[in-house]
Short mmCIF file of all heavy atoms in Angstrom, two decimals:
data_model
loop_
_atom_site.label_atom_id
_atom_site.label_comp_id
_atom_site.label_asym_id
_atom_site.label_seq_id
_atom_site.Cartn_x
_atom_site.Cartn_y
_atom_site.Cartn_z
N THR P 670 0.82 -1.21 0.00
CA THR P 670 0.00 0.00 0.00
C THR P 670 0.86 1.26 0.00
O THR P 670 1.81 1.37 0.76
CB THR P 670 -0.92 0.02 1.23
OG1 THR P 670 -1.81 -1.10 1.15
CG2 THR P 670 -1.75 1.30 1.30
N ILE P 671 0.49 2.19 -0.85
CA ILE P 671 1.13 3.51 -0.91
C ILE P 671 0.24 4.46 -0.12
O ILE P 671 -0.98 4.50 -0.34
CB ILE P 671 1.31 3.97 -2.36
CG1 ILE P 671 2.34 3.08 -3.04
CG2 ILE P 671 1.70 5.45 -2.42
CD1 ILE P 671 2.54 3.34 -4.49
N ARG P 672 0.83 5.19 0.79
CA ARG P 672 0.07 6.10 1.65
C ARG P 672 0.33 7.55 1.23
O ARG P 672 1.43 8.05 1.40
CB ARG P 672 0.46 5.87 3.10
CG ARG P 672 -0.05 4.54 3.62
CD ARG P 672 0.46 4.25 5.02
NE ARG P 672 -0.20 3.11 5.58
CZ ARG P 672 0.17 1.84 5.35
NH1 ARG P 672 1.21 1.59 4.58
NH2 ARG P 672 -0.47 0.84 5.90
N LYS P 673 -0.73 8.17 0.72
CA LYS P 673 -0.66 9.58 0.34
C LYS P 673 -1.85 10.29 0.95
O LYS P 673 -2.91 9.67 1.14
CB LYS P 673 -0.74 9.74 -1.17
CG LYS P 673 0.39 9.18 -1.96
CD LYS P 673 0.23 9.60 -3.42
CE LYS P 673 0.46 8.44 -4.35
NZ LYS P 673 0.15 8.75 -5.72
N LYS P 674 -1.71 11.57 1.22
CA LYS P 674 -2.82 12.37 1.72
C LYS P 674 -2.96 13.63 0.86
O LYS P 674 -1.96 14.20 0.43
CB LYS P 674 -2.58 12.78 3.17
CG LYS P 674 -2.63 11.62 4.14
CD LYS P 674 -2.81 12.12 5.55
CE LYS P 674 -2.79 11.00 6.56
NZ LYS P 674 -3.82 10.03 6.43
N LEU P 675 -4.19 14.02 0.62
CA LEU P 675 -4.47 15.28 -0.05
C LEU P 675 -4.13 16.38 0.96
O LEU P 675 -4.67 16.38 2.08
CB LEU P 675 -5.94 15.35 -0.45
CG LEU P 675 -6.39 16.53 -1.27
CD1 LEU P 675 -5.66 16.57 -2.62
CD2 LEU P 675 -7.90 16.46 -1.51
N PRO P 676 -3.24 17.30 0.62
CA PRO P 676 -2.85 18.33 1.59
C PRO P 676 -4.03 19.17 2.07
O PRO P 676 -4.92 19.51 1.29
CB PRO P 676 -1.86 19.20 0.80
CG PRO P 676 -1.32 18.29 -0.26
CD PRO P 676 -2.48 17.40 -0.63
N THR P 677 -4.01 19.50 3.35
CA THR P 677 -5.06 20.31 3.96
C THR P 677 -5.26 21.62 3.20
O THR P 677 -6.39 22.06 2.98
CB THR P 677 -4.72 20.60 5.44
OG1 THR P 677 -4.66 19.34 6.12
CG2 THR P 677 -5.75 21.50 6.09
N LYS P 678 -4.17 22.22 2.78
CA LYS P 678 -4.23 23.49 2.04
C LYS P 678 -5.08 23.35 0.78
O LYS P 678 -5.86 24.24 0.45
CB LYS P 678 -2.80 23.91 1.69
CG LYS P 678 -2.67 25.24 1.03
CD LYS P 678 -1.20 25.57 0.80
CE LYS P 678 -1.05 26.89 0.10
NZ LYS P 678 0.36 27.25 -0.09
N ILE P 679 -4.96 22.24 0.09
CA ILE P 679 -5.74 22.02 -1.14
C ILE P 679 -7.21 21.78 -0.80
O ILE P 679 -8.10 22.30 -1.48
CB ILE P 679 -5.15 20.86 -1.97
CG1 ILE P 679 -3.78 21.28 -2.52
CG2 ILE P 679 -6.10 20.45 -3.10
CD1 ILE P 679 -3.04 20.21 -3.28
N VAL P 680 -7.48 21.00 0.25
CA VAL P 680 -8.87 20.77 0.65
C VAL P 680 -9.54 22.10 0.97
O VAL P 680 -10.66 22.36 0.51
CB VAL P 680 -8.94 19.81 1.86
CG1 VAL P 680 -10.39 19.67 2.35
CG2 VAL P 680 -8.35 18.45 1.52
N MET P 681 -8.86 22.95 1.72
CA MET P 681 -9.44 24.24 2.09
C MET P 681 -9.63 25.14 0.86
O MET P 681 -10.62 25.87 0.77
CB MET P 681 -8.57 24.93 3.13
CG MET P 681 -8.48 24.15 4.46
SD MET P 681 -10.06 23.64 5.15
CE MET P 681 -10.69 25.22 5.69
N LYS P 682 -8.72 25.05 -0.09
CA LYS P 682 -8.87 25.82 -1.33
C LYS P 682 -10.10 25.34 -2.12
O LYS P 682 -10.85 26.15 -2.65
CB LYS P 682 -7.60 25.68 -2.18
CG LYS P 682 -7.60 26.56 -3.41
CD LYS P 682 -6.27 26.51 -4.12
CE LYS P 682 -6.31 27.46 -5.30
NZ LYS P 682 -5.01 27.58 -5.94
N VAL P 683 -10.31 24.04 -2.15
CA VAL P 683 -11.50 23.50 -2.82
C VAL P 683 -12.76 23.98 -2.10
O VAL P 683 -13.73 24.40 -2.75
CB VAL P 683 -11.46 21.95 -2.90
CG1 VAL P 683 -12.79 21.38 -3.35
CG2 VAL P 683 -10.33 21.49 -3.82
N PHE P 684 -12.75 23.95 -0.78
CA PHE P 684 -13.89 24.48 -0.02
C PHE P 684 -14.16 25.94 -0.37
O PHE P 684 -15.31 26.33 -0.59
CB PHE P 684 -13.63 24.38 1.49
CG PHE P 684 -13.83 23.02 2.10
CD1 PHE P 684 -13.39 22.78 3.38
CD2 PHE P 684 -14.45 21.98 1.42
CE1 PHE P 684 -13.56 21.54 3.98
CE2 PHE P 684 -14.62 20.75 2.00
CZ PHE P 684 -14.18 20.52 3.28
N ASP P 685 -13.10 26.73 -0.44
CA ASP P 685 -13.26 28.15 -0.80
C ASP P 685 -13.88 28.30 -2.18
O ASP P 685 -14.78 29.11 -2.38
CB ASP P 685 -11.90 28.87 -0.78
CG ASP P 685 -11.32 29.04 0.62
OD1 ASP P 685 -12.06 28.89 1.62
OD2 ASP P 685 -10.09 29.30 0.71
N GLN P 686 -13.40 27.51 -3.13
CA GLN P 686 -13.91 27.59 -4.50
C GLN P 686 -15.37 27.13 -4.57
O GLN P 686 -16.19 27.75 -5.27
CB GLN P 686 -13.04 26.76 -5.44
CG GLN P 686 -11.66 27.35 -5.63
CD GLN P 686 -10.70 26.43 -6.36
OE1 GLN P 686 -10.93 25.24 -6.52
NE2 GLN P 686 -9.58 26.99 -6.81
N LEU P 687 -15.70 26.08 -3.85
CA LEU P 687 -17.09 25.60 -3.84
C LEU P 687 -18.01 26.64 -3.22
O LEU P 687 -19.10 26.90 -3.72
CB LEU P 687 -17.19 24.28 -3.07
CG LEU P 687 -16.57 23.06 -3.75
CD1 LEU P 687 -16.52 21.88 -2.79
CD2 LEU P 687 -17.32 22.70 -5.02
N GLU P 688 -17.54 27.25 -2.15
CA GLU P 688 -18.34 28.28 -1.50
C GLU P 688 -18.55 29.48 -2.43
O GLU P 688 -19.64 30.03 -2.53
CB GLU P 688 -17.64 28.72 -0.21
CG GLU P 688 -18.49 29.62 0.66
CD GLU P 688 -17.84 29.88 2.01
OE1 GLU P 688 -16.59 30.00 2.08
OE2 GLU P 688 -18.59 29.97 2.99
N GLU P 689 -17.51 29.85 -3.15
CA GLU P 689 -17.59 30.96 -4.11
C GLU P 689 -18.62 30.66 -5.21
O GLU P 689 -19.30 31.56 -5.69
CB GLU P 689 -16.21 31.18 -4.73
CG GLU P 689 -16.04 32.51 -5.39
CD GLU P 689 -14.60 32.72 -5.85
OE1 GLU P 689 -13.70 32.72 -4.97
OE2 GLU P 689 -14.39 32.85 -7.06
N LEU P 690 -18.72 29.39 -5.59
CA LEU P 690 -19.70 28.98 -6.61
C LEU P 690 -21.12 28.88 -6.05
O LEU P 690 -22.07 28.69 -6.79
CB LEU P 690 -19.31 27.62 -7.19
CG LEU P 690 -18.10 27.59 -8.11
CD1 LEU P 690 -17.69 26.15 -8.39
CD2 LEU P 690 -18.41 28.32 -9.42
N GLY P 691 -21.24 28.96 -4.74
CA GLY P 691 -22.55 28.83 -4.11
C GLY P 691 -22.97 27.37 -3.95
O GLY P 691 -24.16 27.07 -3.80
N PHE P 692 -22.01 26.46 -3.94
CA PHE P 692 -22.31 25.04 -3.83
C PHE P 692 -22.89 24.70 -2.46
O PHE P 692 -22.31 25.02 -1.44
CB PHE P 692 -21.03 24.21 -4.06
CG PHE P 692 -21.24 22.74 -3.95
CD1 PHE P 692 -21.92 22.05 -4.93
CD2 PHE P 692 -20.76 22.04 -2.85
CE1 PHE P 692 -22.12 20.68 -4.83
CE2 PHE P 692 -20.95 20.68 -2.74
CZ PHE P 692 -21.64 19.99 -3.72
N LYS P 693 -24.05 24.05 -2.47
CA LYS P 693 -24.73 23.64 -1.24
C LYS P 693 -25.11 22.16 -1.31
O LYS P 693 -26.00 21.71 -0.60
CB LYS P 693 -25.99 24.48 -1.00
CG LYS P 693 -25.74 25.96 -0.90
CD LYS P 693 -25.02 26.32 0.37
CE LYS P 693 -24.83 27.82 0.48
NZ LYS P 693 -23.86 28.20 1.47
N GLY P 694 -24.42 21.43 -2.15
CA GLY P 694 -24.76 20.03 -2.36
C GLY P 694 -24.01 19.10 -1.43
O GLY P 694 -23.43 19.49 -0.43
N LYS P 695 -24.03 17.82 -1.82
CA LYS P 695 -23.38 16.77 -1.04
C LYS P 695 -21.88 16.77 -1.28
O LYS P 695 -21.42 17.04 -2.38
CB LYS P 695 -23.94 15.41 -1.44
CG LYS P 695 -25.40 15.24 -1.13
CD LYS P 695 -25.87 13.88 -1.63
CE LYS P 695 -27.35 13.73 -1.42
NZ LYS P 695 -27.84 12.45 -1.96
N ILE P 696 -21.15 16.45 -0.21
CA ILE P 696 -19.70 16.33 -0.33
C ILE P 696 -19.25 15.12 0.48
O ILE P 696 -19.78 14.85 1.55
CB ILE P 696 -18.97 17.62 0.13
CG1 ILE P 696 -17.47 17.53 -0.18
CG2 ILE P 696 -19.24 17.92 1.59
CD1 ILE P 696 -16.74 18.86 -0.15
N THR P 697 -18.32 14.38 -0.09
CA THR P 697 -17.78 13.20 0.59
C THR P 697 -16.27 13.18 0.44
O THR P 697 -15.72 13.91 -0.38
CB THR P 697 -18.44 11.91 0.08
OG1 THR P 697 -18.09 10.84 0.96
CG2 THR P 697 -18.05 11.60 -1.34
N PHE P 698 -15.63 12.34 1.22
CA PHE P 698 -14.18 12.39 1.33
C PHE P 698 -13.53 11.02 1.08
O PHE P 698 -12.55 10.67 1.73
CB PHE P 698 -13.80 12.91 2.72
CG PHE P 698 -14.43 14.24 3.03
CD1 PHE P 698 -15.60 14.31 3.77
CD2 PHE P 698 -13.89 15.41 2.53
CE1 PHE P 698 -16.19 15.55 4.03
CE2 PHE P 698 -14.47 16.64 2.79
CZ PHE P 698 -15.63 16.70 3.54
N HIS P 699 -14.07 10.27 0.19
CA HIS P 699 -13.53 8.94 -0.11
C HIS P 699 -13.75 8.62 -1.59
O HIS P 699 -14.52 9.27 -2.27
CB HIS P 699 -14.25 7.88 0.71
CG HIS P 699 -15.65 7.66 0.23
ND1 HIS P 699 -16.67 8.53 0.55
CD2 HIS P 699 -16.18 6.75 -0.61
CE1 HIS P 699 -17.77 8.13 -0.07
NE2 HIS P 699 -17.50 7.06 -0.78
N HIS P 700 -13.08 7.61 -2.04
CA HIS P 700 -13.34 7.02 -3.37
C HIS P 700 -12.96 5.55 -3.28
O HIS P 700 -13.81 4.72 -3.11
CB HIS P 700 -12.57 7.77 -4.46
CG HIS P 700 -12.95 7.34 -5.84
ND1 HIS P 700 -14.23 7.39 -6.31
CD2 HIS P 700 -12.21 6.83 -6.83
CE1 HIS P 700 -14.27 6.93 -7.55
NE2 HIS P 700 -13.05 6.58 -7.88
N PHE P 701 -11.68 5.25 -3.36
CA PHE P 701 -11.21 3.87 -3.16
C PHE P 701 -10.38 3.81 -1.87
O PHE P 701 -9.32 3.23 -1.83
CB PHE P 701 -10.36 3.40 -4.34
CG PHE P 701 -11.13 3.26 -5.61
CD1 PHE P 701 -10.70 3.90 -6.76
CD2 PHE P 701 -12.27 2.49 -5.68
CE1 PHE P 701 -11.40 3.77 -7.95
CE2 PHE P 701 -12.98 2.37 -6.85
CZ PHE P 701 -12.55 3.00 -7.99
N SER P 702 -10.87 4.45 -0.83
CA SER P 702 -10.12 4.53 0.42
C SER P 702 -11.07 4.42 1.59
O SER P 702 -12.29 4.46 1.44
CB SER P 702 -9.37 5.85 0.48
OG SER P 702 -10.29 6.93 0.52
N GLU P 703 -10.50 4.34 2.78
CA GLU P 703 -11.28 4.39 4.02
C GLU P 703 -10.97 5.74 4.66
O GLU P 703 -9.91 5.94 5.25
CB GLU P 703 -10.90 3.24 4.96
CG GLU P 703 -11.56 3.30 6.31
CD GLU P 703 -13.07 3.50 6.26
OE1 GLU P 703 -13.77 2.71 5.58
OE2 GLU P 703 -13.56 4.46 6.89
N ALA P 704 -11.91 6.66 4.53
CA ALA P 704 -11.69 8.04 4.96
C ALA P 704 -11.44 8.17 6.46
O ALA P 704 -10.75 9.08 6.90
CB ALA P 704 -12.87 8.91 4.55
N PHE P 705 -11.99 7.25 7.27
CA PHE P 705 -11.78 7.35 8.71
C PHE P 705 -10.34 7.05 9.13
O PHE P 705 -9.98 7.24 10.29
CB PHE P 705 -12.76 6.46 9.47
CG PHE P 705 -14.12 7.08 9.61
CD1 PHE P 705 -15.16 6.71 8.77
CD2 PHE P 705 -14.36 8.07 10.55
CE1 PHE P 705 -16.41 7.29 8.88
CE2 PHE P 705 -15.60 8.67 10.67
CZ PHE P 705 -16.63 8.28 9.84
N LEU P 706 -9.49 6.61 8.21
CA LEU P 706 -8.07 6.46 8.50
C LEU P 706 -7.36 7.81 8.54
O LEU P 706 -6.25 7.91 9.03
CB LEU P 706 -7.40 5.55 7.47
CG LEU P 706 -7.80 4.08 7.56
CD1 LEU P 706 -7.24 3.31 6.36
CD2 LEU P 706 -7.32 3.45 8.85
N ASP P 707 -8.01 8.84 8.02
CA ASP P 707 -7.44 10.20 8.02
C ASP P 707 -7.98 10.94 9.24
O ASP P 707 -9.18 11.16 9.36
CB ASP P 707 -7.81 10.92 6.74
CG ASP P 707 -7.06 12.22 6.56
OD1 ASP P 707 -6.93 12.99 7.55
OD2 ASP P 707 -6.61 12.49 5.44
N LYS P 708 -7.10 11.32 10.12
CA LYS P 708 -7.50 11.98 11.38
C LYS P 708 -8.13 13.35 11.16
O LYS P 708 -8.74 13.91 12.07
CB LYS P 708 -6.29 12.09 12.29
CG LYS P 708 -5.66 10.74 12.58
CD LYS P 708 -5.44 10.53 14.03
CE LYS P 708 -4.72 9.24 14.31
NZ LYS P 708 -5.54 8.08 14.31
#
């Protein structure tokens, strides 16, 4: 297994961009991973 994390700075930038777009939809934090492994 290769362990990589999406940097917090990028996640927050995506949040900022979504907020700017007025996004009020669903958001999730997984795809082929177990998100609860990320603290």
